[in-house]
Amino acid sequence: MFSTLRLVCSSISILSMLAVTAAADTRREIQFPDIPGFKTIICDFHTHTVFSDGLVWPTVRMDEAWREGIDAIAVTDHIEYQPHSDYVSTDHNASYEVARPAAQRNKIMLIKGTEITRGTPPGHFNAVFIKDVDPIDTGEFLDAVGAAMKQGGFVFWNHPGWKGPELGRWQEVHQTLYDKKWLGGVEVLNGTSYYPLAHEWCLEKGLAMLGNSDFHQPSMHKRTETGDHRALTLVFAEEFTQDAIQDALNAARTAAWDQNRIIGREEHLAPLFNASIQVFAPHHKDGGSLWIEMKNNSHLTYELKRTGDIGPESITLEADASIIVRLESVERNAEITLEYTAENVLIAPNKGLPVTLTIPKQP
Ligand SMILES: [Zn+2]
Ligand SMILES: [Zn+2]
């Protein structure tokens, strides 16, 4: 009996030694090319855990981030709303402390953050790149934001069209934050909601555009289709570090991405498109027609509509895929340029990105 038990025990210890070789799940990479001078970093600056009104333990957020190809994430539990306080600690720094070892194991940059949660106006604001949430837990709204700034934080306005009779209009308090240089950005996307007014403010006022999940549920709660992804922020940073991400936010070098739509500024989205799309020299000709391969090296499907005279009326450049386009009645052995608008790349509300596809001469 004793020897049988020993045999079982030693088998278990061998099994557990073998089991540690697989540390994390498979990661599905999000492919976006870098743009000249900057690395493209995939970020989610707004998530919740059981330490406020979220429904997952902080380490689960780090596992989700790894699996979904995210590079940097902030856990931003509400300061003023802790509905699980009968069962879970009300320590405002706890979710970061619990998540940190998992972030390190999963090679995720974990940004310390919190959500300052007030009625409208002012509404909800995230403070990220902070050091300690406790001093931000203070009565006066402006004192709370001031405390975050004093720690070197970056503050942005969350889901600006969320509620209240003013429905996300720019109020005096927002102007005060802006004048103090305390407001660095606005969520133009929160989950699947797009705020065109916020897009305009960001363009006018030089603010960073953010797109964040604001997840409370587990990430895959509502999404079943492959290719689905949470709302995310693409950050164009000089280096792959937290400091460089914060510098990029301060310089408003960001774009917001949900499903098959990307929202930002022309100065970033034009180079992103150009870095994503390769157009090859014609590989075949027959009569008056030329056949040309075009390849999309990004995770976004580009929906193009013709604005010039040459080319098909519309072209869909699917994510991570190539297509062959046939051109008729064009002059051969010359460089050909096709003028289009990328309709799902918004450089202002209702304004797609103008793009040019340049077909090199046949070798
Ligand atoms: Zn909120
Ligand atoms: Zn939130």
Side-chain angles (χ1 to χ4, degrees), residues 46-48 53 76 78 115 124 126 158-159 190 214 216:
H46 191 169
T47 66
H48 294 277
D53 58 345
T76 52
H78 298 285
E115 185 164 6
H124 295 188
N126 271 9
N158 298 342
H159 44 74
N190 176 281
D214 197 1
H216 290 72

Side-chain angles (χ1 to χ4, degrees), residues 126-292:
N126 271 9
V128 290
F129 301 104
I130 54 167
K131 299 193 168 55
D132 181 6
V133 183
D134 289 337
I136 305 170
D137 183 8
T138 185
E140 280 297 316
F141 170 69
L142 286 179
D143 292 345
V145 177
M149 295 309 293
K150 212 169 148 188
Q151 297 177 26
F154 178 88
V155 172
F156 62 88
W157 185 2
N158 298 342
H159 44 74
W162 173 51
K163 70 171 189 181
E166 74 288 350
L167 264 181
R169 281 198 289 277
W170 189 269
Q171 305 282 302
E172 211 180 302
V173 62
H174 307 116
Q175 189 61 39
T176 303
L177 289 181
Y178 180 72
D179 290 343
K180 286 176 174 287
K181 298 194 171 16
W182 285 0
L183 184 66
V186 189
E187 279 184 344
V188 295
L189 283 174
N190 176 281
T192 52
S193 302
Y194 166 49
Y195 303 107
L197 259 183
H199 192 179
E200 268 170 31
W201 299 334
C202 289
L203 292 171
E204 264 171 41
K205 301 171 197 295
L207 299 171
M209 298 179 204
L210 294 116
N212 297 315
S213 71
D214 197 1
F215 274 157
H216 290 72
Q217 302 270 1
S219 172
M220 293 307 286
H221 177 61
K222 282 186 180 158
R223 292 175 302 120
T224 51
E225 304 268 318
T226 39
D228 267 11
H229 67 91
R230 66 174 82 184
L232 289 163
T233 307
L234 272 57
V235 172
F236 307 107
E238 284 179 7
E239 288 174 43
F240 203 81
T241 62
Q242 290 212 25
D243 284 349
I245 292 174
Q246 190 172 5
D247 288 346
L249 289 178
N250 283 322
R253 281 196 310 271
T254 60
W257 175 50
D258 80 325
Q259 296 309 328
N260 203 42
R261 172 171 61 180
I262 194 159
I263 292 146
R265 290 179 164 74
E266 186 167 8
E267 64 183 290
H268 307 126
L269 296 179
L272 187 71
F273 177 85
N274 292 333
S276 301
I277 304 301
Q278 270 176 289
V279 181
F280 296 89
H283 59 272
H284 182 63
K285 55 189 172 184
D286 186 6
S289 298
L290 293 176
W291 278 261
I292 296 131

Side-chain angles (χ1 to χ4, degrees), residues 327-340:
L327 291 186
E328 286 173 84
S329 316
V330 286
E331 203 187 321
R332 290 181 198 177
N333 302 326
E335 192 183 81
I336 303 163
T337 54
L338 310 181
E339 304 295 336
Y340 282 82

Side-chain angles (χ1 to χ4, degrees), residues 47-100:
T47 66
H48 294 277
T49 76
V50 289
F51 287 92
S52 61
D53 58 345
L55 295 176
V56 307
W57 191 246
T59 59
V60 175
R61 291 285 178 236
M62 303 304 114
D63 291 342
E64 291 168 344
W66 168 257
R67 285 199 299 271
E68 295 172 29
I70 290 162
D71 300 315
I73 189 167
V75 171
T76 52
D77 279 312
H78 298 285
I79 292 176
E80 297 86 348
Y81 185 53
Q82 296 184 308
H84 305 149
S85 58
D86 286 350
Y87 305 101
V88 179
S89 162
T90 55
D91 178 345
H92 293 309
N93 293 296
S95 50
Y96 175 81
E97 292 305 327
V98 172
R100 191 166 55 170

